[in-house]
Amino acid sequence: MKPANNARYAAPMVLLHWLMAILIVTAFAVGLKIWSLPLSPLRLKLILGHKSAGIAVLLLLALRVIVRLASHVPPLPAHMSPIEQRLAHLGHLALYVLMLAVPLSGWAMSSAYGIPVVFLGVLHLPEWIASDPTLAEQLRWLHRGLNLLLALTIVGHAFFALKHHFFDHDGMLNRMRLGGSRSMEK
Ligand code: HEM
């Protein structure tokens, strides 16, 4: 058993982590459903919800970056080698970049298709790319590709978090636990 690391993220970071995880998984699942549906009222309804969930990810990401810069970030467990720590930081950076790039590519695609993005049915967001069907099709593929990368990175992230929890017993998951802390040391 490795020494336990009970240092934790600040409560707002923990909340944002799990809220964004739920939104991203939901947006991803709804995106896959949209892909499988023919043009229909249900498809249009799902696209509206999907866009709002994606824009919410973008807004929460901005908040998360501010909270992260302003709050204490617990150090990684001391038993991790410098290379492992570097890879963990790179993985986190990739997650931040993809959480920005995926919603932005979706928004850009909608703009290029000339379809408005109305957040939660009330806030009309600017169309920041001129209507261009060829570009829209390319952005659609970009959105798909970035989603694939995001999904792979999230799977890797979850895999290593669970490995730390169940194999290294180093209390890594406690850093992102909602509620009171619980030591992994027996
Ligand atoms: C974290 C945020 C997001 C995730 C995880 C996500 C995920 C996905 C996925 C998995 C698909 C299916 C891809 C495929 O066709 O193979 C999709 C499609 C789509 N996304 Fe997103 N998306 C996000 C944000 C957004 C945003 C912010 C917008 C627009 C404002 C958007 C607009 C669309 C549209 C219009 C489609 C359907 C494309 C089509 O007609 O095939 N997405 N998304």
Side-chain angles (χ1 to χ4, degrees):
M1 187 193 303
K2 307 273 172 43
N5 174 6
N6 292 321
R8 304 181 65 197
Y9 279 96
M13 275 296 284
V14 177
L15 264 179
L16 283 165
H17 175 274
W18 293 113
L19 184 58
M20 289 183 74
I22 291 169
L23 277 172
I24 290 170
V25 170
T26 306
F28 190 84
V30 173
L32 289 182
K33 183 72 190 159
I34 292 167
W35 183 39
S36 70
L37 284 175
L39 190 60
S40 59
L42 173 63
R43 188 176 201 271
L44 296 179
K45 215 184 251 180
L46 288 179
I47 288 181
L48 284 182
H50 175 81
K51 287 180 180 182
S52 285
I55 294 298
V57 168
L58 210 50
L59 296 173
L60 290 174
L61 178 65
L63 183 62
R64 184 166 175 177
V65 170
I66 295 169
V67 172
R68 194 181 194 277
L69 291 174
S71 63
H72 168 71
V73 176
L76 289 169
H79 70 82
M80 288 174 72
S81 70
I83 299 239
E84 284 174 323
Q85 299 214 6
R86 176 68 61 86
L87 287 175
H89 285 137
L90 275 177
H92 293 163
L93 181 65
L95 282 169
Y96 276 98
V97 170
L98 287 165
M99 286 190 295
L100 176 69
V102 166
L104 274 187
S105 64
W107 185 2
M109 164 179 53
S110 289
S111 293
Y113 273 124
I115 301 170
V117 178
V118 188
F119 182 55
L120 297 177
V122 285
L123 186 63
H124 196 118
L125 300 185
E127 276 142 53
W128 48 287
I129 291 194
S131 185
D132 178 342
T134 311
L135 178 63
E137 202 52 32
Q138 289 163 350
L139 288 168
R140 187 187 206 184
W141 281 102
L142 181 68
H143 192 56
R144 284 181 180 178
L146 289 171
N147 263 297
L148 184 62
L149 274 181
L150 178 62
L152 291 174
T153 314
I154 289 175
V155 168
H157 174 71
F159 172 83
F160 284 110
L162 293 175
K163 173 204 167 276
H164 277 277
H165 189 75
F166 290 110
F167 290 96
D168 299 335
H169 301 287
D170 60 9
M172 180 78 106
L173 268 193
N174 286 339
R175 295 149 56 92
M176 271 302 175
R177 250 174 63 85
L178 291 164
S181 72
R182 184 189 298 161
S183 169
M184 290 302 300
E185 257 175 342
K186 299 203 179 88

